Amino acid sequence: MARTDALQGSLDLLVLKILSRRPRLHGYAIMAAIANTSGEVLRAEEGSLYPALYRMEEAGWIRAEWIRKETGRRTRVYELTAAGKKQLGAEESRWQSVSLAINRVLREA
Amino acid sequence: MSWWSRISNAMQGERLNREIDEELQAHVEEAIASGRDPREAHRAFGPTLRAREASHSVRAAGWLESLLADLRFGWRQLGRNKVTSAAALLSLALGIGSCVGVFRLIDALLWRPLPISGSSRLYLLSRKITGLYGKPAEDNYWATPDFDLMRHAVRSQADLIAISDADRTDITWSTDDDMEKASVVYVSGSMFPLFGLQPSLGRLLTPADDRGPGASPYAVLSWDCWNHRFGRDPHVLGRSLHIGNQDFEIIGVGPRDFTGTEKGTATDLFLPLNTSSLAPHDSVTWHHTFLMLKPGVNPATALEPLRQHLAAVSHAFEAGCSTCVRGMTRAEIARYLDKKLVFHRAGAGISDLQKDYRRSLGILGLLAALVLLIACANVASMMTAQAAARAQEMALRVSIGAGRRRLVQLILCQSALLAVLASILGAFFAAWSAPFVLSRVNSPDNPVRLSLPADWRVLLFGFGLILLVVLLLGLLPALRASAVRPVAALKGGEDPHSPRRLMHGAIALQVAFCFLVLFLSSLFVASFRRLENRPLGFSTDRLLLLETVAGQGQLPVVWNQTAEGLRAVPGVESVAISGWPLLGRIRINSDISINGAPPGPTPAFYLNISPDWLSTMKIPLVSGRDFSPHDSSPGAAIVNETFVRTFFPGQDPIGHTFAPVGYPYQPGAHQPLDKIVGVIPDIPYHGLREPSRAVYYIPFNQIDDQSAPGVVGFATFTVHTDVQNPLALATTLRQFIAQRHNGLRVSNVTTQLDLVRDQTIRERLLAMLAAFFAAIALLIAGIGLYAVLSYGVLQRRREIGIRMAIGSPRAGIVRLVTLDVFLMIALGGSVGVALGFGASRYVESLFYQVKATDVDMIAFPTFALLLTALVATLPAVLRALRTDPTEILRAE
């Protein structure tokens, strides 16, 4: 499953990035956004998305709220907190340095 | 925030699961709504159960959830065995409550620092001396001139503070008529500033107030006195009050929580040291001296040089004090000056109450702790039995993968639940018992005031106690249960004796502690009974005592006329006068010179009495006669039998003379002689516990050198009434004396019976509480014994049935069931005897005419224990004997 392996360790980064652009998304929309923007290359495993969301919520990076949809059902939407913005910055720069390093290794080898 | 949400989620696990399910459900629906195939969407999502589990563990605190589950389980376990649980809970609650109650008393009286700043730097100056009858003693009292010299000598390294004992003094607050008792303390002006105390009103005393009697006639009220006597009236400042012939002006009110340095006594009034008439005298030692180190001084290095410096200064003062050593022989002076100055930590205050009750409270603490230990042993063996019954359950849990830590947690949870529930009950008991015990120490003449706050110190102690109890209760059963070997247990063949061994150990422990409690309490009860039933030699029946003062003193004839007047009051049968009551707080002794020889080493105590005092007190004469109205002092004396044995051994003392010599003795000086006219038996003079002392009685009518009558400043009317409760006449008689306007005023009313009772307050309290603890200990131990034996019989039903089937006699069955337990009782009992002897040596000073080695002191606890053991084992033995072998064998 190359697709999920590519996501290893970077799911947090992707979720935070998506939420920074478009606040108040529910879980499915986050997953769909990751798939769409990556051109269907990156796909979060649907079952493991929620534990990750809850972990980030407990860490205080995102916050959740129940809203009622037009259909009358409730859905839980997420948005970024101030701590989450900071975390996003840190994760982005970490990702940049890692991918830079990997690229360098690919070029040199 | 996130911790809180995890904890609250753990509390509401079901709701959390519903929420997670709802969100996961919404996800799949969203997927379907966006056009995906429902089956594919479900498959892509994976197993919802696993997603829910993973989500749940992220959002809820897992350790808390398992803890809650264990607590719920423990609660159900407790509910399943309602009777045993209630017994365990109650016994633990009594144990914990008693421990906390005693701790509150000990802490408040002995350990809690005074509410002052720098209490850890406060020391008391004392000196070791050779006391009366050659015994080593400590003298805490100092003369003010000596204090001034010492204070000056060390003022660069430390501050000295003088504080007198709180003295119940007659005070007139405004007009001449309303005289009241208030406790008065004389302090040096440095006390308030050094203690860092701030006034609630006005100002406090300062070093400038040390000037002298005329210069600073100022008084500071304690907050307590201001509150209860003046209702916190702010206009109290500037009001005057009178003590004797001195006037004082109230200048301020002390801080709220400061009641003086004497623990157990609430000071009402602080007066400047030098306003006391005792202050100017070189030879009068009357106040305590405290030393306060300067902040930042290391006591380890600073104290010893200070001690030597102070000792040298004080020694020089006393050696040079002519009035202190006047008339002493060279050897006597050497003995007088041979003292060693010592420091005692005084941060927790000092008081007689501490001295009197230190050991008693220690004993109460020991008894309470023993009761708690007995209760713990009891509950632990109960839990062992339960755990043994659950051995299969434990084995199952282990074999399906439960961590052993989880099992220990399960059992510790149950014991924690017990301990916490018991300590809640115990807290109520402690809240009630500590003030109750304190109120028992109280006597109207000597009120005890001690604040018993339930603050962090008590809470900390309580939490520590709970922790200890949890460990004592749960640790052993928990380790045992977790060490279970699943294979053996599930096969039903685990060593059946191992839980019983543990329980037998608990029995031995319980019996040992129980014996100790019983032994000590029988000693205390016997002491109290012997003290209470000790023959007094006088009657206390219907005797009212009017302690009366006459400001400047009045001639004996005025006192006699007042007594005559009292006799005419309806309800009064007879009236006599004595200098002070027997068994009161006053005792005065003097050296005795026979035939002009220098006095011997034994002093004699005295009391001045009017004619008929002996008959009013119903004291018989051994020989000779009572005083007549014509006798006066000096001139005639009545002595007790110890006096005769000491000073006139083997002689008929009637007609002999002796001379009480004023201290110091002057050889060759004319000493007025007293001629012995009568002899009476020994009667307790100052204390019920002290051995008989030589006492002589002199006539109330006193004459001076020129045969002119001397004035009497205070005396006690001993009134024999014809009413059952003599205090009913108190108000009438008090008013009667006041209305005569002859300068006499009643300052205190009491009964002779109360004075006798006050002598046994401590013994009564100890006996009562020790008996209480003994009863509890016996009860708990009995329940424990019963439970262990019943469990044993239940466990060995098969064995008993088989033995019966193959013809074992009934005696054999009884022996089988009880032998181990009685061996344990014997073992525990002998350990208890050894502990008892050890402990009793520590408290010997509290006993009265009993010894730990008295046969009946050992016999009673042994008998009580055996009786309890018999009663407790009987049901189990009967059940064993009623075992029906056929039924057992059929069940197999």
Side-chain angles (χ1 to χ4, degrees):
Chain A
M1 296 284 276
R3 282 190 313 199
T4 43
D5 277 353
L7 261 176
Q8 197 78 45
S10 50
L11 181 59
D12 289 5
L13 171 62
L14 296 178
V15 170
L16 291 174
K17 191 72 194 170
I18 296 289
L19 285 179
S20 77
R21 293 218 191 96
R22 300 160 59 192
R24 295 174 77 78
L25 292 180
H26 51 69
Y28 186 82
I30 294 173
M31 193 204 71
I34 293 175
N36 281 340
T37 38
S38 70
E40 305 291 330
V41 174
L42 298 176
R43 286 200 74 154
E45 193 189 321
E46 295 176 43
S48 60
L49 173 68
Y50 288 90
L53 281 174
Y54 296 146
R55 203 183 55 245
M56 286 189 269
E57 188 187 348
E58 292 300 335
W61 301 339
I62 57 177
R63 71 172 149 256
E65 194 185 347
W66 284 101
I67 57 162
R68 202 163 283 281
K69 292 196 299 184
E70 325 67 89
T71 57
R73 297 197 74 111
R74 294 204 305 167
T75 187
R76 207 156 184 257
V77 295
Y78 296 87
E79 62 185 338
L80 217 57
T81 63
K85 283 199 186 91
K86 232 199 247 158
Q87 181 67 21
L88 175 60
E91 296 254 339
E92 266 185 308
S93 62
R94 192 179 64 88
W95 177 261
Q96 297 293 358
S97 62
V98 167
S99 64
L100 214 69
I102 290 175
N103 282 336
R104 203 175 295 142
V105 171
L106 291 179
R107 273 198 307 274
E108 307 272 317
Chain B
M1 165 69 191
S2 91
W3 267 106
W4 172 241
S5 77
R6 289 185 68 180
I7 286 170
S8 79
N9 280 339
M11 300 283 195
Q12 313 168 349
E14 282 310 305
R15 217 192 96 196
L16 178 64
N17 276 345
R18 277 202 307 277
E19 278 199 358
I20 292 173
D21 281 345
E22 189 177 353
E23 190 172 4
L24 300 184
Q25 192 64 37
H27 177 99
V28 175
E29 276 170 18
E30 201 70 41
I32 295 169
S34 67
R36 281 165 60 180
D37 174 50
R39 287 222 335 258
E40 186 272 338
H42 275 289
R43 199 168 44 76
F45 193 80
T48 35
L49 197 62
R50 195 198 293 159
R52 187 226 275 178
E53 281 290 299
S55 307
H56 187 105
S57 66
V58 169
R59 289 184 61 181
W63 55 269
L64 186 62
E65 276 194 315
S66 70
L67 203 64
L68 284 174
D70 288 348
L71 281 180
R72 271 195 289 272
F73 187 78
W75 177 253
R76 279 206 299 275
Q77 282 281 327
L78 290 184
R80 190 180 297 167
N81 313 306
K82 284 204 180 62
V83 180
T84 33
S85 299
L89 212 60
L90 215 60
S91 58
L92 278 181
L94 277 176
I96 293 176
S98 310
C99 279
V100 174
V102 177
F103 172 80
R104 287 179 69 190
L105 289 172
I106 292 181
D107 180 53
L109 184 62
L110 301 177
W111 294 340
R112 187 176 287 269
L114 294 170
I116 58 173
S117 68
S119 62
S120 60
R121 291 182 278 120
L122 192 65
Y123 296 84
L124 178 75
L125 265 64
S126 173
R127 36 198 169 175
K128 294 188 189 298
I129 58 164
T130 311
L132 213 54
Y133 308 108
K135 281 189 224 147
E138 277 213 15
D139 184 3
N140 290 333
Y141 294 97
W142 300 82
T144 311
D146 192 7
F147 164 77
D148 284 332
L149 284 176
M150 291 194 295
R151 168 162 64 175
H152 198 72
V154 298
R155 69 183 187 283
S156 57
Q157 300 121 60
D159 296 292
L160 292 193
I161 304 166
I163 302 174
S164 76
D165 278 337
D167 192 23
R168 305 265 298 154
T169 308
D170 292 317
I171 288 190
T172 311
W173 290 105
S174 49
T175 63
D176 232 13
D177 292 331
D178 56 343
M179 197 164 68
E180 289 173 32
K181 291 257 183 219
S183 69
V184 170
V185 168
Y186 291 91
V187 300
S188 60
S190 53
M191 183 191 82
F192 285 111
L194 282 173
F195 283 178
L197 300 173
Q198 298 301 324
S200 304
L201 198 68
R203 73 165 178 95
L204 302 176
L205 297 174
T206 67
D209 294 312
D210 283 339
R211 280 167 302 189
S216 281
Y218 301 131
V220 169
L221 294 180
S222 73
W223 191 91
D224 199 57
C225 173
W226 183 50
N227 181 36
H228 74 245
R229 177 64 182 74
F230 294 100
R232 296 190 221 170
D233 177 10
H235 303 300
V236 77
L237 293 184
R239 281 172 69 164
S240 63
L241 59 95
H242 320 284
I243 299 176
N245 53 0
Q246 280 180 297
D247 296 340
F248 293 91
E249 182 194 338
I250 298 173
I251 53 161
V253 175
R256 183 167 186 147
D257 43 0
F258 183 72
T259 56
T261 50
E262 203 173 326
K263 278 274 181 78
T265 306
T267 305
D268 294 312
L269 207 56
F270 297 95
L271 301 178
L273 189 70
N274 288 328
T275 58
S276 165
S277 60
L278 302 174
H281 300 284
D282 283 354
S283 59
V284 179
T285 57
W286 68 288
H287 60 73
H288 300 292
T289 297
F290 290 87
L291 175 138
M292 192 164 232
L293 286 178
K294 305 252 185 217
V297 173
N298 179 8
T301 53
L303 280 182
E304 183 54 26
L306 270 173
R307 192 190 71 76
Q308 287 174 1
H309 193 175
L310 287 168
V313 171
S314 177
H315 186 271
F317 167 79
E318 285 186 334
C321 160
S322 55
T323 52
C324 301
V325 296
R326 185 189 296 154
M328 286 190 189
T329 63
R330 199 173 286 267
E332 281 169 332
I333 294 176
R335 206 180 60 191
Y336 168 72
L337 290 176
D338 177 28
K339 5 181 130 171
K340 183 172 190 284
L341 195 148
V342 288
F343 292 135
H344 295 298
R345 289 188 160 278
I350 53 150
S351 68
D352 287 345
L353 198 68
Q354 290 175 334
K355 229 182 309 173
D356 290 348
Y357 282 91
R358 188 179 297 271
R359 287 203 169 202
S360 312
L361 284 175
I363 279 296
L364 288 183
L366 175 70
L367 292 180
L370 285 174
V371 166
L372 180 61
L373 284 176
I374 293 173
C376 281
N378 204 359
V379 177
S381 64
M382 180 193 93
M383 289 181 55
T384 309
Q386 282 183 6
R390 280 161 59 192
Q392 297 215 345
E393 174 203 328
M394 290 294 168
L396 201 62
R397 280 170 183 259
V398 170
S399 57
I400 60 173
R404 294 189 191 266
R405 229 188 80 213
R406 198 52 218 286
L407 289 186
V408 172
Q409 179 185 317
L410 182 71
I411 290 180
L412 283 183
C413 263
Q414 199 182 340
S415 45
L417 201 64
L418 260 179
V420 169
L421 287 177
S423 58
I424 292 171
L425 283 179
F428 285 109
F429 183 67
W432 167 80
S433 61
F436 170 77
V437 169
L438 200 61
S439 73
R440 291 276 143 166
V441 178
N442 228 342
S443 74
D445 245 8
N446 190 13
V448 171
R449 300 278 300 282
L450 197 59
S451 71
L452 290 165
D455 60 359
W456 62 269
R457 292 172 71 98
V458 179
L459 281 182
L460 211 64
F461 178 81
F463 280 125
L465 207 61
I466 291 178
L467 207 65
L468 186 77
V469 168
V470 169
L471 289 182
L472 282 178
L473 290 185
L475 207 56
L476 219 55
L479 291 180
R480 258 192 50 77
S482 71
V484 74
R485 281 168 302 136
V487 182
L490 286 179
K491 274 200 301 208
E494 234 214 324
D495 179 7
H497 298 297
S498 68
R500 279 221 310 274
R501 274 203 293 273
L502 201 69
M503 291 163 77
H504 284 159
I507 287 284
L509 212 65
Q510 267 179 327
V511 169
F513 291 158
C514 192
F515 187 91
L516 183 54
V517 173
L518 285 172
F519 180 63
L520 286 177
S521 65
S522 68
L523 284 167
F524 287 126
V525 171
S527 281
F528 171 62
R529 295 187 66 92
R530 283 181 197 173
L531 196 59
E532 202 187 27
N533 295 331
R534 136 182 200 157
L536 287 172
F538 60 85
S539 163
T540 58
D541 185 36
R542 290 179 278 177
L543 276 185
L544 188 70
L545 302 174
L546 305 171
E547 290 172 39
T548 308
V549 294
Q552 306 292 326
Q554 279 295 350
L555 291 172
V557 63
V558 176
W559 290 88
N560 288 330
Q561 281 167 355
T562 308
E564 198 55 48
L566 285 171
R567 281 185 195 110
V569 175
V572 173
E573 281 192 350
S574 65
V575 179
I577 313 174
S578 64
W580 49 89
L582 287 176
L583 300 174
R585 277 178 300 166
I586 302 177
R587 60 170 167 178
I588 306 181
N589 61 4
S590 74
D591 289 334
I592 300 296
S593 159
I594 311 284
N595 295 330
T602 315
F605 293 86
Y606 76 88
L607 177 65
N608 43 353
I609 57 173
S610 71
D612 297 335
W613 184 80
L614 292 178
S615 58
T616 304
M617 297 289 288
K618 304 225 167 27
I619 299 168
L621 277 160
V622 175
S623 62
R625 62 168 178 87
D626 190 2
F627 292 134
S628 78
H630 309 295
D631 286 319
S632 58
S633 171
I638 294 173
V639 297
N640 71 355
E641 288 176 319
T642 300
F643 189 96
V644 175
R645 268 198 303 280
T646 311
F647 299 105
F648 300 99
Q651 304 172 43
D652 178 11
I654 304 289
H656 281 77
T657 57
F658 66 91
V661 287
Y663 191 77
Y665 170 72
Q666 280 157 308
H670 169 71
Q671 297 285 345
L673 294 177
D674 284 330
K675 187 167 152 197
I676 298 173
V677 300
V679 178
I680 60 167
D682 289 342
I683 50 178
Y685 174 81
H686 183 255
L688 286 181
R689 300 175 65 109
E690 62 181 21
S692 292
R693 307 273 197 227
V695 181
Y696 64 96
Y697 300 83
I698 52 175
F700 181 72
N701 294 337
Q702 288 173 42
I703 48 174
D704 61 14
D705 296 351
Q706 281 78 42
S707 298
V711 294
V712 178
F714 64 95
T716 296
F717 290 107
T718 308
V719 182
H720 190 237
T721 65
D722 64 0
V723 288
Q724 214 33 256
N725 175 17
L727 283 173
L729 276 176
T731 324
T732 318
L733 297 182
R734 192 192 268 268
Q735 279 169 0
F736 175 83
I737 291 177
Q739 278 158 9
R740 291 178 74 89
H741 296 294
N742 56 7
L744 301 194
R745 269 195 310 206
V746 176
S747 79
N748 197 27
V749 181
T750 179
T751 66
Q752 190 66 53
L753 189 63
D754 280 340
L755 288 185
V756 174
R757 281 210 186 115
D758 288 355
Q759 290 276 323
T760 56
I761 284 179
R762 190 178 67 183
E763 285 73 14
R764 183 189 304 271
L765 182 75
L766 260 178
M768 183 182 79
L769 294 178
F772 167 76
F773 283 130
I776 300 283
L778 211 53
L779 187 70
I780 299 176
I783 293 175
L785 213 55
Y786 166 78
V788 168
L789 266 165
S790 305
Y791 167 78
V793 167
L794 208 66
Q795 283 276 301
R796 299 170 86 171
R797 232 166 27 162
R798 264 186 295 182
E799 184 190 343
I800 294 168
I802 292 169
R803 277 173 191 265
M804 284 179 123
I806 59 174
S808 170
R810 286 170 159 250
I813 300 293
V814 173
R815 196 183 316 130
L816 175 74
V817 176
T818 57
L819 185 66
D820 290 353
V821 170
F822 275 92
L823 276 179
M824 286 301 128
I825 292 177
L827 177 70
S830 29
V831 172
V833 172
L835 288 176
F837 281 156
S840 62
R841 199 168 303 162
Y842 167 72
V843 286
E844 236 158 18
S845 62
L846 294 173
F847 298 152
Y848 176 77
Q849 290 187 354
V850 293
K851 279 201 295 291
T853 45
D854 290 351
V855 174
D856 46 345
M857 293 300 114
I858 303 173
F860 167 71
T862 314
F863 181 72
L865 256 179
L866 281 180
L867 192 70
T868 310
L870 275 182
V871 171
T873 49
L874 213 56
V877 169
L878 286 181
R879 188 182 301 165
L881 289 179
R882 272 205 307 268
T883 307
D884 184 355
T886 49
E887 195 181 315
I888 297 291
L889 295 177
R890 197 175 299 145
E892 286 293 309

